[in-house]
Amino acid sequence: MNFISLQDIAKINIGFNLNQSKESNILPKNHHYNILSLKNFAQSICLKENFITESLVRAVPLNDKFIIRKNDILIRLVAPILAIFIQNAPPNLIYPHSTAKITLTNPSFNPKFLAFYLNSTAIKKQLLANTLQSTAVSLIKLSDLSKIQIPLITIHEQEKIVQILALAQRKDEILRSLILQNQNFSKAILDKFTQNTNSAQRITQ
Protein backbone atom coordinates (compact mmCIF):
# COMPACT_ATOMS: atom_id res chain seq x y z
CA MET A 1 0.00 0.00 0.00
CA ASN A 2 1.19 3.51 -0.83
CA PHE A 3 1.01 6.48 1.55
CA ILE A 4 1.01 10.27 1.42
CA SER A 5 1.90 12.84 4.09
CA LEU A 6 -0.96 14.67 5.77
CA GLN A 7 0.67 18.02 4.92
CA ASP A 8 0.39 17.17 1.22
CA ILE A 9 -3.40 16.77 1.31
CA ALA A 10 -4.47 19.30 3.93
CA LYS A 11 -3.92 22.67 5.57
CA ILE A 12 -3.03 22.38 9.27
CA ASN A 13 -3.36 25.26 11.74
CA ILE A 14 -2.96 25.56 15.50
CA GLY A 15 -5.85 27.15 17.38
CA PHE A 16 -6.23 30.63 18.84
CA ASN A 17 -4.05 31.42 21.87
CA LEU A 18 -5.92 33.61 24.36
CA ASN A 19 -2.79 34.26 26.43
CA GLN A 20 -0.95 35.88 23.53
CA SER A 21 -3.70 38.10 22.19
CA LYS A 22 -4.20 40.90 24.71
CA GLU A 23 -6.15 43.91 23.44
CA SER A 24 -6.55 47.47 24.61
CA ASN A 25 -9.61 48.06 26.78
CA ILE A 26 -10.09 51.44 25.12
CA LEU A 27 -11.17 50.03 21.76
CA PRO A 28 -14.83 49.03 21.33
CA LYS A 29 -15.31 45.26 21.16
CA ASN A 30 -17.85 44.30 18.50
CA HIS A 31 -16.57 40.98 17.18
CA HIS A 32 -18.22 38.01 18.90
CA TYR A 33 -16.85 34.46 18.85
CA ASN A 34 -17.41 31.14 20.58
CA ILE A 35 -14.40 29.01 21.57
CA LEU A 36 -14.92 25.27 21.40
CA SER A 37 -14.19 23.58 24.73
CA LEU A 38 -11.88 20.55 25.00
CA LYS A 39 -14.77 18.81 26.75
CA ASN A 40 -16.32 18.29 23.31
CA PHE A 41 -13.60 15.80 22.39
CA ALA A 42 -15.14 12.47 23.37
CA GLN A 43 -15.52 8.96 22.00
CA SER A 44 -17.86 10.06 19.22
CA ILE A 45 -16.17 10.83 15.89
CA CYS A 46 -18.53 13.75 15.20
CA LEU A 47 -19.00 16.98 17.12
CA LYS A 48 -22.25 16.72 19.07
CA GLU A 49 -25.05 19.20 18.39
CA ASN A 50 -25.08 20.34 22.04
CA PHE A 51 -21.37 21.23 22.06
CA ILE A 52 -19.84 23.34 24.84
CA THR A 53 -18.31 26.76 24.13
CA GLU A 54 -16.98 29.85 25.89
CA SER A 55 -17.75 33.33 24.61
CA LEU A 56 -15.10 35.75 23.37
CA VAL A 57 -15.53 39.39 22.33
CA ARG A 58 -12.74 41.24 20.51
CA ALA A 59 -12.04 44.66 19.10
CA VAL A 60 -10.06 43.25 16.17
CA PRO A 61 -11.47 40.41 14.06
CA LEU A 62 -9.61 37.10 14.12
CA ASN A 63 -7.73 35.61 11.20
CA ASP A 64 -9.92 33.36 9.09
CA LYS A 65 -7.67 30.36 9.86
CA PHE A 66 -9.13 30.23 13.40
CA ILE A 67 -12.71 29.79 12.16
CA ILE A 68 -14.15 26.26 12.17
CA ARG A 69 -16.13 25.26 9.10
CA LYS A 70 -18.07 22.28 7.82
CA ASN A 71 -15.91 19.22 6.96
CA ASP A 72 -12.98 20.42 9.07
CA ILE A 73 -11.25 17.98 11.42
CA LEU A 74 -10.09 19.04 14.86
CA ILE A 75 -7.50 17.12 16.86
CA ARG A 76 -6.35 17.61 20.43
CA LEU A 77 -2.65 18.37 20.75
CA VAL A 78 -2.66 17.25 24.39
CA ALA A 79 -3.50 13.85 25.86
CA PRO A 80 -5.88 12.22 25.44
CA ILE A 81 -5.43 12.64 21.70
CA LEU A 82 -8.81 12.64 19.99
CA ALA A 83 -9.94 13.82 16.56
CA ILE A 84 -13.47 14.93 15.70
CA PHE A 85 -15.18 15.61 12.39
CA ILE A 86 -17.21 18.81 11.99
CA GLN A 87 -20.51 18.06 10.24
CA ASN A 88 -21.81 21.59 10.69
CA ALA A 89 -20.50 24.71 12.39
CA PRO A 90 -22.26 27.95 13.34
CA PRO A 91 -20.67 31.28 12.35
CA ASN A 92 -17.64 32.49 14.31
CA LEU A 93 -16.91 29.20 16.06
CA ILE A 94 -13.17 28.99 16.85
CA TYR A 95 -10.86 26.38 18.38
CA PRO A 96 -8.30 26.74 21.22
CA HIS A 97 -4.51 26.68 21.07
CA SER A 98 -4.35 23.12 22.43
CA THR A 99 -6.00 21.83 19.26
CA ALA A 100 -5.23 21.86 15.55
CA LYS A 101 -7.57 22.26 12.60
CA ILE A 102 -7.13 20.08 9.54
CA THR A 103 -8.80 21.23 6.32
CA LEU A 104 -8.54 18.83 3.42
CA THR A 105 -7.35 20.31 0.12
CA ASN A 106 -7.45 17.04 -1.81
CA PRO A 107 -10.95 15.87 -2.86
CA SER A 108 -9.70 12.28 -3.07
CA PHE A 109 -9.95 11.98 0.71
CA ASN A 110 -13.00 11.66 2.93
CA PRO A 111 -12.67 13.91 6.03
CA LYS A 112 -14.58 11.50 8.24
CA PHE A 113 -12.26 8.66 7.17
CA LEU A 114 -9.30 10.84 8.10
CA ALA A 115 -10.81 11.57 11.52
CA PHE A 116 -11.26 7.84 12.17
CA TYR A 117 -7.71 7.17 10.97
CA LEU A 118 -6.23 9.82 13.28
CA ASN A 119 -8.08 8.19 16.19
CA SER A 120 -6.39 4.84 15.60
CA THR A 121 -4.13 3.51 18.37
CA ALA A 122 -1.09 3.35 16.09
CA ILE A 123 -1.36 7.02 15.09
CA LYS A 124 -1.89 8.15 18.69
CA LYS A 125 1.22 6.27 19.83
CA GLN A 126 3.20 7.77 16.96
CA LEU A 127 2.14 11.31 17.86
CA LEU A 128 2.85 10.86 21.57
CA ALA A 129 6.33 9.46 20.94
CA ASN A 130 7.95 12.89 20.46
CA THR A 131 5.77 15.31 22.41
CA LEU A 132 6.93 18.76 23.52
CA GLN A 133 6.92 19.33 27.28
CA SER A 134 5.10 22.55 28.22
CA THR A 135 5.10 22.80 32.04
CA ALA A 136 3.15 19.70 33.08
CA VAL A 137 1.44 19.30 29.70
CA SER A 138 2.84 17.33 26.78
CA LEU A 139 2.07 18.93 23.42
CA ILE A 140 2.11 17.17 20.07
CA LYS A 141 4.50 18.84 17.65
CA LEU A 142 2.79 20.22 14.56
CA SER A 143 5.67 18.90 12.44
CA ASP A 144 4.94 15.35 13.62
CA LEU A 145 1.24 15.74 12.88
CA SER A 146 2.05 17.10 9.41
CA LYS A 147 4.21 14.08 8.58
CA ILE A 148 1.59 11.47 9.49
CA GLN A 149 1.32 9.01 6.60
CA ILE A 150 -2.17 8.57 5.16
CA PRO A 151 -2.97 5.41 3.14
CA LEU A 152 -3.69 6.00 -0.53
CA ILE A 153 -6.95 4.14 -1.03
CA THR A 154 -9.90 5.04 -3.25
CA ILE A 155 -12.65 7.32 -2.01
CA HIS A 156 -15.05 4.38 -2.38
CA GLU A 157 -12.93 2.25 -0.04
CA GLN A 158 -12.73 5.14 2.42
CA GLU A 159 -16.51 5.50 2.43
CA LYS A 160 -16.98 1.76 3.05
CA ILE A 161 -14.59 1.93 6.02
CA VAL A 162 -16.43 4.97 7.38
CA GLN A 163 -19.77 3.15 7.18
CA ILE A 164 -18.41 0.14 9.05
CA LEU A 165 -16.65 2.18 11.74
CA ALA A 166 -19.62 4.54 12.18
CA LEU A 167 -21.92 1.54 12.72
CA ALA A 168 -19.51 0.02 15.23
CA GLN A 169 -19.26 3.32 17.09
CA ARG A 170 -23.04 3.66 17.17
CA LYS A 171 -23.31 0.20 18.71
CA ASP A 172 -20.72 1.17 21.32
CA GLU A 173 -22.70 4.31 22.18
CA ILE A 174 -25.90 2.27 22.58
CA LEU A 175 -24.12 -0.25 24.82
CA ARG A 176 -22.64 2.52 26.97
CA SER A 177 -26.09 4.09 27.28
CA LEU A 178 -27.65 0.75 28.30
CA ILE A 179 -24.90 0.15 30.87
CA LEU A 180 -25.47 3.62 32.36
CA GLN A 181 -29.24 3.05 32.48
CA ASN A 182 -28.70 -0.30 34.19
CA GLN A 183 -26.36 1.28 36.75
CA ASN A 184 -28.89 4.04 37.48
CA PHE A 185 -31.68 1.45 37.80
CA SER A 186 -29.62 -0.63 40.24
CA LYS A 187 -28.76 2.48 42.28
CA ALA A 188 -32.42 3.53 42.40
CA ILE A 189 -33.44 0.07 43.75
CA LEU A 190 -30.71 0.12 46.41
CA ASP A 191 -31.55 3.70 47.42
CA LYS A 192 -35.25 2.81 47.71
CA PHE A 193 -34.44 -0.33 49.74
CA THR A 194 -32.18 1.66 52.09
CA GLN A 195 -34.81 4.37 52.48
CA ASN A 196 -37.52 1.82 53.34
CA THR A 197 -35.18 0.01 55.78
CA ASN A 198 -34.37 3.25 57.59
CA SER A 199 -38.07 4.16 57.77
CA ALA A 200 -38.92 0.76 59.24
CA GLN A 201 -36.17 1.09 61.82
CA ARG A 202 -37.47 4.49 62.95
CA ILE A 203 -41.00 3.10 63.35
CA THR A 204 -39.84 0.20 65.55
CA GLN A 205 -37.78 2.45 67.80
Side-chain angles (χ1 to χ4, degrees), residues 16 24 30 47 53-54 110 114 128 142 199:
F16 180 67
S24 170
N30 300 316
L47 178 65
T53 62
E54 299 175 12
N110 182 310
L114 182 57
L128 285 172
L142 197 62
S199 298

Side-chain angles (χ1 to χ4, degrees), residues 166-183:
L167 179 60
Q169 187 174 80
R170 179 57 183 155
K171 288 182 178 179
D172 285 344
E173 290 173 353
I174 292 172
L175 285 173
R176 283 196 294 269
S177 177
L178 290 173
I179 290 170
L180 180 60
Q181 289 177 35
N182 187 61
Q183 290 173 341

Side-chain angles (χ1 to χ4, degrees), residues 23-117:
E23 290 188 311
S24 170
N25 293 324
I26 301 175
L27 298 173
K29 296 184 178 182
N30 300 316
H31 301 279
H32 296 262
Y33 300 92
N34 287 306
I35 307 174
L36 199 67
S37 168
L38 289 179
K39 296 177 181 178
N40 295 288
F41 290 78
Q43 297 302 317
S44 176
I45 196 70
C46 295
L47 178 65
K48 298 292 186 180
E49 291 183 1
N50 56 339
F51 54 83
I52 304 168
T53 62
E54 299 175 12
S55 61
L56 173 69
V57 183
R58 287 178 54 82
V60 179
L62 293 178
N63 190 300
D64 191 62
K65 68 181 181 180
F66 296 121
I67 305 297
I68 301 171
R69 291 190 168 80
K70 181 178 179 180
N71 291 331
D72 281 340
I73 301 154
L74 299 179
I75 184 169
R76 284 178 59 120
L77 299 178
V78 294
I81 299 173
L82 291 166
I84 54 174
F85 167 70
I86 307 299
Q87 297 184 98
N88 290 292
N92 294 338
L93 181 64
I94 64 176
Y95 54 108
H97 183 66
S98 51
T99 62
K101 182 181 74 169
I102 302 169
T103 303
L104 282 171
T105 55
N106 189 325
S108 298
F109 290 87
N110 182 310
K112 192 175 285 190
F113 165 77
L114 182 57
F116 272 119
Y117 184 72

